[in-house]
Amino acid sequence: MEPVPSREIADMAGAAALPRKNGELVFDEAWQGRIFGMTVAMSHEASFAWREFQAQLIAEIAHAEREGESTSYYERWLHAFEQLLTDKGLIDAAALAERTRDFESGRRDDVF
Amino acid sequence: MSGSHDAHDHEHGHHHREPESQLSLRVRALESLLVEKKLVASEAIDRIVAAYEEDIGPHNGAKVVAHAWVDPAYRQRLLADGTAAIEELGFGGVDLQVVENAPGVHNLVVCTLCSCYPHALIGLPPVWYKSFEYRSRAVREPRVVLHEFGVDLPENTEIRIWDSSAELRYLVLPERPAGTERLSEPELAKLVTRDAMIGVAVVKPPAAAAR
Protein backbone atom coordinates (compact mmCIF):
# COMPACT_ATOMS: atom_id res chain seq x y z
CA MET A 1 0.00 0.00 0.00
CA GLU A 2 1.29 3.40 -1.00
CA PRO A 3 1.49 5.71 2.03
CA VAL A 4 -0.25 9.04 1.50
CA PRO A 5 1.68 12.05 2.79
CA SER A 6 0.05 13.54 5.83
CA ARG A 7 -0.79 17.22 5.83
CA GLU A 8 -0.05 17.34 9.54
CA ILE A 9 3.56 16.45 8.73
CA ALA A 10 3.98 18.19 5.40
CA ASP A 11 2.36 21.42 6.58
CA MET A 12 4.39 21.90 9.76
CA ALA A 13 4.88 25.63 10.13
CA GLY A 14 7.43 27.95 11.69
CA ALA A 15 10.83 26.67 12.74
CA ALA A 16 9.69 23.04 12.41
CA ALA A 17 8.76 23.48 8.71
CA LEU A 18 10.41 20.86 6.50
CA PRO A 19 13.23 22.19 4.31
CA ARG A 20 12.05 22.50 0.70
CA LYS A 21 13.17 23.59 -2.69
CA ASN A 22 10.70 24.22 -5.51
CA GLY A 23 8.06 22.81 -3.17
CA GLU A 24 9.86 19.48 -2.85
CA LEU A 25 11.40 18.10 0.29
CA VAL A 26 15.15 18.47 0.38
CA PHE A 27 17.37 15.78 1.83
CA ASP A 28 20.97 16.91 1.40
CA GLU A 29 22.29 13.52 2.48
CA ALA A 30 20.78 10.05 2.38
CA TRP A 31 20.65 9.74 6.17
CA GLN A 32 18.34 12.77 6.34
CA GLY A 33 15.70 11.02 4.25
CA ARG A 34 16.24 7.91 6.33
CA ILE A 35 15.62 9.61 9.68
CA PHE A 36 12.63 11.45 8.22
CA GLY A 37 11.11 8.17 6.98
CA MET A 38 11.88 6.39 10.24
CA THR A 39 10.13 9.05 12.28
CA VAL A 40 7.06 9.12 10.05
CA ALA A 41 6.89 5.30 9.97
CA MET A 42 6.98 5.08 13.76
CA SER A 43 4.22 7.64 14.09
CA HIS A 44 2.15 5.47 11.71
CA GLU A 45 2.87 2.47 13.90
CA ALA A 46 1.53 4.49 16.82
CA SER A 47 4.81 4.41 18.73
CA PHE A 48 4.04 8.10 19.31
CA ALA A 49 1.67 10.74 17.98
CA TRP A 50 3.06 13.13 15.40
CA ARG A 51 2.32 16.14 17.60
CA GLU A 52 4.51 14.62 20.31
CA PHE A 53 7.43 14.46 17.94
CA GLN A 54 6.68 17.92 16.58
CA ALA A 55 6.72 19.38 20.10
CA GLN A 56 10.07 17.68 20.77
CA LEU A 57 11.46 19.01 17.47
CA ILE A 58 10.34 22.55 18.24
CA ALA A 59 11.92 22.32 21.68
CA GLU A 60 15.16 20.97 20.19
CA ILE A 61 15.31 23.75 17.59
CA ALA A 62 14.65 26.39 20.25
CA HIS A 63 17.37 24.90 22.43
CA ALA A 64 19.88 24.81 19.56
CA GLU A 65 19.08 28.41 18.63
CA ARG A 66 19.50 29.54 22.23
CA GLU A 67 22.87 27.82 22.46
CA GLY A 68 23.89 29.25 19.10
CA GLU A 69 24.55 25.78 17.67
CA SER A 70 25.18 25.64 13.94
CA THR A 71 23.59 22.19 13.59
CA SER A 72 21.43 21.43 10.56
CA TYR A 73 17.68 20.99 10.59
CA TYR A 74 17.89 17.21 10.30
CA GLU A 75 20.62 16.98 12.94
CA ARG A 76 18.22 18.66 15.33
CA TRP A 77 15.51 16.34 14.09
CA LEU A 78 17.75 13.36 14.92
CA HIS A 79 18.36 14.66 18.45
CA ALA A 80 14.64 15.23 18.98
CA PHE A 81 13.84 11.73 17.71
CA GLU A 82 16.44 10.10 19.98
CA GLN A 83 15.17 12.09 22.94
CA LEU A 84 11.57 11.08 22.30
CA LEU A 85 12.49 7.40 21.93
CA THR A 86 14.58 7.50 25.09
CA ASP A 87 11.83 9.26 27.06
CA LYS A 88 9.36 6.63 25.95
CA GLY A 89 11.73 3.83 26.88
CA LEU A 90 11.79 2.58 23.29
CA ILE A 91 15.52 2.83 22.99
CA ASP A 92 18.45 2.67 25.35
CA ALA A 93 21.13 5.35 24.99
CA ALA A 94 23.96 2.93 25.82
CA ALA A 95 22.69 0.36 23.31
CA LEU A 96 22.53 3.08 20.65
CA ALA A 97 26.07 4.21 21.37
CA GLU A 98 27.30 0.64 21.19
CA ARG A 99 25.44 -0.06 17.94
CA THR A 100 26.89 3.12 16.43
CA ARG A 101 30.40 1.91 17.32
CA ASP A 102 29.62 -1.46 15.74
CA PHE A 103 28.83 0.25 12.46
CA GLU A 104 31.84 2.53 12.72
CA SER A 105 34.27 -0.29 13.31
CA GLY A 106 32.70 -2.35 10.54
CA ARG A 107 31.72 -5.10 12.99
CA ARG A 108 28.25 -4.57 11.63
CA ASP A 109 27.40 -3.54 8.11
CA ASP A 110 23.72 -4.20 7.70
CA VAL A 111 20.88 -2.54 9.54
CA PHE A 112 19.02 -5.81 9.97
CA MET B 1 14.58 18.94 -8.79
CA SER B 2 16.18 18.76 -5.43
CA GLY B 3 18.89 16.28 -6.31
CA SER B 4 17.72 14.16 -3.43
CA HIS B 5 17.26 11.20 -5.75
CA ASP B 6 20.93 11.30 -6.58
CA ALA B 7 21.81 11.43 -2.89
CA HIS B 8 19.41 8.60 -2.18
CA ASP B 9 21.44 5.46 -2.34
CA HIS B 10 19.06 2.65 -3.15
CA GLU B 11 21.22 0.26 -1.20
CA HIS B 12 20.62 2.60 1.76
CA GLY B 13 24.31 2.83 2.29
CA HIS B 14 24.58 -0.69 3.63
CA HIS B 15 27.64 -1.33 1.57
CA HIS B 16 29.24 2.08 1.62
CA ARG B 17 32.97 1.93 1.70
CA GLU B 18 33.85 5.62 1.78
CA PRO B 19 34.14 7.18 5.25
CA GLU B 20 30.69 7.73 6.64
CA SER B 21 29.68 10.68 8.78
CA GLN B 22 28.94 10.19 12.46
CA LEU B 23 25.38 11.29 11.82
CA SER B 24 24.91 8.73 9.09
CA LEU B 25 26.35 6.00 11.32
CA ARG B 26 24.07 7.04 14.13
CA VAL B 27 20.99 6.94 11.91
CA ARG B 28 21.94 3.46 10.69
CA ALA B 29 22.42 2.32 14.28
CA LEU B 30 19.00 3.69 15.18
CA GLU B 31 17.34 1.98 12.26
CA SER B 32 19.10 -1.26 13.12
CA LEU B 33 17.92 -1.18 16.74
CA LEU B 34 14.36 -0.20 15.86
CA VAL B 35 14.09 -2.88 13.18
CA GLU B 36 15.43 -5.42 15.65
CA LYS B 37 12.75 -4.41 18.15
CA LYS B 38 10.18 -4.65 15.33
CA LEU B 39 9.19 -1.06 15.95
CA VAL B 40 9.75 -0.19 12.32
CA ALA B 41 10.42 -1.97 9.01
CA SER B 42 13.07 -0.80 6.57
CA GLU B 43 10.65 -1.31 3.65
CA ALA B 44 8.13 0.99 5.33
CA ILE B 45 10.78 3.70 5.57
CA ASP B 46 11.60 3.24 1.86
CA ARG B 47 7.96 3.60 0.90
CA ILE B 48 7.42 6.67 3.05
CA VAL B 49 10.47 8.50 1.76
CA ALA B 50 9.47 7.71 -1.84
CA ALA B 51 5.90 8.86 -1.26
CA TYR B 52 6.93 12.14 0.33
CA GLU B 53 9.52 12.82 -2.34
CA GLU B 54 7.07 12.06 -5.15
CA ASP B 55 3.84 13.52 -3.89
CA ILE B 56 5.02 16.68 -2.21
CA GLY B 57 6.22 18.66 -5.10
CA PRO B 58 5.28 19.89 -8.50
CA HIS B 59 6.04 16.59 -10.31
CA ASN B 60 2.48 15.85 -11.35
CA GLY B 61 1.81 19.35 -12.65
CA ALA B 62 5.13 19.30 -14.47
CA LYS B 63 4.13 16.07 -16.21
CA VAL B 64 0.85 17.65 -17.32
CA VAL B 65 2.64 20.70 -18.71
CA ALA B 66 5.29 18.67 -20.53
CA HIS B 67 2.63 16.43 -22.04
CA ALA B 68 0.69 19.47 -23.27
CA TRP B 69 3.87 20.85 -24.84
CA VAL B 70 4.56 17.74 -26.90
CA ASP B 71 0.97 16.74 -27.74
CA PRO B 72 -1.10 19.54 -29.32
CA ALA B 73 -4.32 17.53 -29.13
CA TYR B 74 -3.79 16.98 -25.41
CA ARG B 75 -3.05 20.68 -24.99
CA GLN B 76 -6.43 21.48 -26.55
CA ARG B 77 -8.23 19.06 -24.27
CA LEU B 78 -6.36 20.42 -21.26
CA LEU B 79 -7.39 23.99 -22.00
CA ALA B 80 -10.98 22.99 -22.78
CA ASP B 81 -11.51 20.82 -19.70
CA GLY B 82 -8.61 20.72 -17.26
CA THR B 83 -10.33 18.38 -14.81
CA ALA B 84 -10.95 15.70 -17.45
CA ALA B 85 -7.55 16.12 -19.09
CA ILE B 86 -5.55 15.62 -15.90
CA GLU B 87 -7.63 12.54 -15.14
CA GLU B 88 -6.34 11.09 -18.43
CA LEU B 89 -2.89 11.16 -16.83
CA GLY B 90 -4.16 9.68 -13.60
CA PHE B 91 -4.38 12.88 -11.56
CA GLY B 92 -7.62 13.99 -10.07
CA GLY B 93 -9.45 15.18 -7.05
CA VAL B 94 -9.46 18.78 -8.18
CA ASP B 95 -11.67 20.92 -10.42
CA LEU B 96 -9.14 22.59 -12.59
CA GLN B 97 -8.98 25.26 -15.23
CA VAL B 98 -5.72 25.55 -17.12
CA VAL B 99 -4.77 28.97 -18.45
CA GLU B 100 -2.16 29.31 -21.15
CA ASN B 101 0.66 31.80 -21.39
CA ALA B 102 1.43 33.04 -24.88
CA PRO B 103 3.28 35.95 -26.45
CA GLY B 104 1.42 39.00 -25.16
CA VAL B 105 -0.50 37.12 -22.45
CA HIS B 106 0.72 36.18 -19.00
CA ASN B 107 -1.41 34.46 -16.38
CA LEU B 108 -1.03 34.74 -12.64
CA VAL B 109 -2.84 32.66 -10.03
CA VAL B 110 -3.79 33.88 -6.59
CA CYS B 111 -6.30 33.01 -3.94
CA THR B 112 -7.45 36.32 -2.52
CA LEU B 113 -9.62 34.75 0.19
CA CYS B 114 -7.36 32.07 1.61
CA SER B 115 -4.89 29.71 -0.01
CA CYS B 116 -6.78 27.53 -2.49
CA TYR B 117 -4.20 25.71 -4.53
CA PRO B 118 -4.04 22.63 -6.77
CA HIS B 119 -2.12 20.44 -4.29
CA ALA B 120 -2.54 17.27 -6.28
CA LEU B 121 -0.55 18.79 -9.12
CA ILE B 122 1.99 21.12 -7.59
CA GLY B 123 2.33 20.01 -4.00
CA LEU B 124 1.95 22.33 -1.09
CA PRO B 125 1.66 26.08 -1.40
CA PRO B 126 4.70 28.16 -0.54
CA VAL B 127 4.45 30.45 2.46
CA TRP B 128 4.30 33.60 0.33
CA TYR B 129 1.29 32.26 -1.57
CA LYS B 130 -0.67 32.26 1.67
CA SER B 131 0.57 35.69 2.75
CA PHE B 132 -1.80 38.62 2.90
CA GLU B 133 0.73 40.66 0.99
CA TYR B 134 0.73 38.39 -2.06
CA ARG B 135 -3.00 37.88 -1.94
CA SER B 136 -3.72 41.57 -2.03
CA ARG B 137 -0.87 42.87 -4.18
CA ALA B 138 -1.13 40.22 -6.92
CA VAL B 139 -4.46 41.75 -7.88
CA ARG B 140 -3.61 45.39 -7.25
CA GLU B 141 -0.14 45.60 -8.77
CA PRO B 142 0.66 42.34 -10.54
CA ARG B 143 3.40 43.87 -12.65
CA VAL B 144 5.29 45.00 -9.56
CA VAL B 145 4.82 41.63 -7.87
CA LEU B 146 6.07 39.83 -10.99
CA HIS B 147 9.07 42.14 -11.13
CA GLU B 148 9.89 41.20 -7.53
CA PHE B 149 9.79 37.54 -8.58
CA GLY B 150 12.23 38.38 -11.36
CA VAL B 151 9.73 38.38 -14.21
CA ASP B 152 9.74 41.51 -16.31
CA LEU B 153 7.11 41.45 -19.02
CA PRO B 154 6.92 43.73 -22.04
CA GLU B 155 4.73 46.79 -21.43
CA ASN B 156 2.04 45.61 -23.82
CA THR B 157 1.75 42.11 -22.34
CA GLU B 158 -1.66 41.58 -20.84
CA ILE B 159 -1.61 40.12 -17.33
CA ARG B 160 -4.60 38.00 -16.41
CA ILE B 161 -5.27 37.31 -12.76
CA TRP B 162 -7.09 34.14 -11.75
CA ASP B 163 -8.60 34.03 -8.30
CA SER B 164 -8.78 30.45 -7.04
CA SER B 165 -11.67 29.25 -4.98
CA ALA B 166 -12.70 26.12 -3.18
CA GLU B 167 -14.71 25.15 -6.28
CA LEU B 168 -12.16 25.86 -8.98
CA ARG B 169 -8.37 25.86 -9.01
CA TYR B 170 -6.13 27.28 -11.72
CA LEU B 171 -2.90 26.09 -13.23
CA VAL B 172 -0.76 28.13 -15.59
CA LEU B 173 0.45 26.38 -18.73
CA PRO B 174 3.76 28.18 -19.20
CA GLU B 175 5.34 28.82 -22.58
CA ARG B 176 7.75 26.15 -23.72
CA PRO B 177 11.21 27.72 -23.75
CA ALA B 178 13.11 28.10 -26.99
CA GLY B 179 15.82 25.57 -27.76
CA THR B 180 14.03 22.61 -26.18
CA GLU B 181 12.88 20.97 -29.42
CA ARG B 182 15.13 17.96 -28.92
CA LEU B 183 14.23 17.30 -25.30
CA SER B 184 12.13 14.30 -24.34
CA GLU B 185 8.91 14.69 -22.39
CA PRO B 186 10.52 13.69 -19.06
CA GLU B 187 13.38 16.11 -19.72
CA LEU B 188 10.88 18.87 -20.41
CA ALA B 189 9.00 18.06 -17.21
CA LYS B 190 12.19 18.65 -15.23
CA LEU B 191 12.31 22.24 -16.46
CA VAL B 192 8.83 23.06 -15.19
CA THR B 193 8.82 24.68 -11.77
CA ARG B 194 6.10 25.20 -9.23
CA ASP B 195 6.42 28.96 -9.59
CA ALA B 196 5.97 28.77 -13.36
CA MET B 197 2.67 26.94 -12.85
CA ILE B 198 1.50 29.64 -10.42
CA GLY B 199 2.60 32.28 -12.92
CA VAL B 200 5.29 34.01 -10.88
CA ALA B 201 8.07 32.60 -13.06
CA VAL B 202 8.68 31.63 -16.63
CA VAL B 203 10.20 28.30 -17.63
CA LYS B 204 13.85 28.74 -18.45
CA PRO B 205 15.72 26.80 -21.11
CA PRO B 206 17.99 24.01 -19.76
CA ALA B 207 21.23 26.00 -19.74
CA ALA B 208 19.66 28.82 -17.74
CA ALA B 209 17.79 26.42 -15.46
CA ALA B 210 21.04 24.68 -14.52
CA ARG B 211 22.60 27.89 -13.27
Side-chain angles (χ1 to χ4, degrees), chain B residues 33-81:
Chain B
L33 284 174
L34 294 171
V35 167
E36 210 166 83
K37 288 171 181 274
K38 301 206 187 312
L39 287 167
V40 76
S42 290
E43 300 72 33
I45 302 174
D46 296 343
R47 286 198 300 271
I48 285 165
V49 175
Y52 276 80
E53 286 191 324
E54 281 301 309
D55 295 355
I56 300 189
H59 307 82
N60 294 348
K63 282 181 195 158
V64 170
V65 168
H67 195 53
W69 281 347
V70 300
D71 182 342
Y74 181 76
R75 184 179 136 263
Q76 299 252 310
R77 293 200 295 282
L78 183 67
L79 295 171
D81 185 346

Side-chain angles (χ1 to χ4, degrees), chain A residues 41-112:
Chain A
M42 286 192 67
S43 77
H44 288 182
E45 297 296 325
S47 294
F48 49 81
W50 189 259
R51 59 181 160 68
E52 290 180 86
F53 172 72
Q54 188 172 347
Q56 190 74 52
L57 176 61
I58 290 168
E60 177 66 36
I61 292 170
H63 174 78
E65 296 289 324
R66 257 197 324 273
E67 300 293 319
E69 290 171 11
S70 60
T71 44
S72 70
Y73 175 87
Y74 279 108
E75 201 170 337
R76 294 167 182 183
W77 178 300
L78 172 61
H79 290 154
F81 183 61
E82 285 182 9
Q83 189 63 52
L84 184 62
L85 296 183
T86 311
D87 290 349
K88 289 194 169 285
L90 294 171
I91 213 150
D92 176 63
L96 176 60
E98 189 188 337
R99 186 61 57 96
T100 306
R101 280 195 300 276
D102 285 354
F103 277 109
E104 193 172 17
S105 65
R107 191 156 45 230
R108 216 175 237 280
D109 197 28
D110 236 327
V111 293
F112 42 81

Side-chain angles (χ1 to χ4, degrees), chain B residues 131-184:
Chain B
S131 71
F132 177 75
E133 197 193 356
Y134 177 75
R135 284 158 44 211
S136 51
R137 293 182 58 225
V139 178
R140 216 172 50 234
E141 44 180 17
R143 205 168 275 277
V144 181
V145 170
L146 284 171
H147 171 76
E148 287 165 11
F149 274 98
V151 178
D152 288 302
L153 299 170
E155 269 306 307
N156 55 358
T157 295
E158 179 194 350
I159 302 176
R160 297 180 185 159
I161 312 293
W162 301 89
D163 192 357
S164 304
S165 69
E167 287 75 37
L168 187 61
R169 312 290 162 95
Y170 297 94
L171 184 82
V172 175
L173 176 57
E175 284 186 273
R176 179 173 176 167
T180 58
E181 294 75 17
R182 298 165 71 102
L183 295 188
S184 67

